[in-house]
Amino acid sequence: IEELIAYRPEVMVVVAFGQILTKEVLAVPEKGCINVHASLLTQCTGAPPRFSRWILDGQKETGVTTMFMDEGLDTGDML
């Protein structure tokens, strides 16, 4: 955390990390943390979401969701 603070980031972006960041880490960037989630939320949640699961379930569309991160899993405000 000290190393992250030393960078003084305005924002941090997480892609395919697979872990929930602690409250302390989420508080480091001035403008928040953004997650790039490899599926459409709220239909396909969790880590790791899989496009193949989505297709095997018979869905015709898939996509990517960007969202602000909070302390939960896939619970932040979508952008």
Side-chain angles (χ1 to χ4, degrees), residues 61-74:
E61 294 181 351
T62 190
V64 174
T65 303
T66 55
M67 59 194 285
F68 282 108
M69 297 175 73
D70 62 20
E71 295 180 51
L73 178 65
D74 300 335

Side-chain angles (χ1 to χ4, degrees), residues 1-2 4-5 8-15 17 19-36 67-77:
I1 296 208
E2 291 175 12
L4 288 174
I5 291 170
R8 298 179 53 203
E10 289 186 38
V11 67
M12 292 191 309
V13 179
V14 175
V15 180
F17 187 57
Q19 295 180 26
I20 296 176
L21 300 182
T22 65
K23 183 165 75 170
E24 292 79 19
V25 171
L26 292 171
V28 170
E30 175 185 328
K31 296 181 181 178
C33 295
I34 295 175
N35 181 39
V36 179
M67 59 194 285
F68 282 108
M69 297 175 73
D70 62 20
E71 295 180 51
L73 178 65
D74 300 335
T75 55
D77 292 337

Side-chain angles (χ1 to χ4, degrees), residues 31-48:
K31 296 181 181 178
C33 295
I34 295 175
N35 181 39
V36 179
H37 183 85
S39 70
L40 295 175
L41 291 175
T42 59
Q43 296 97 337
C44 191
T45 62

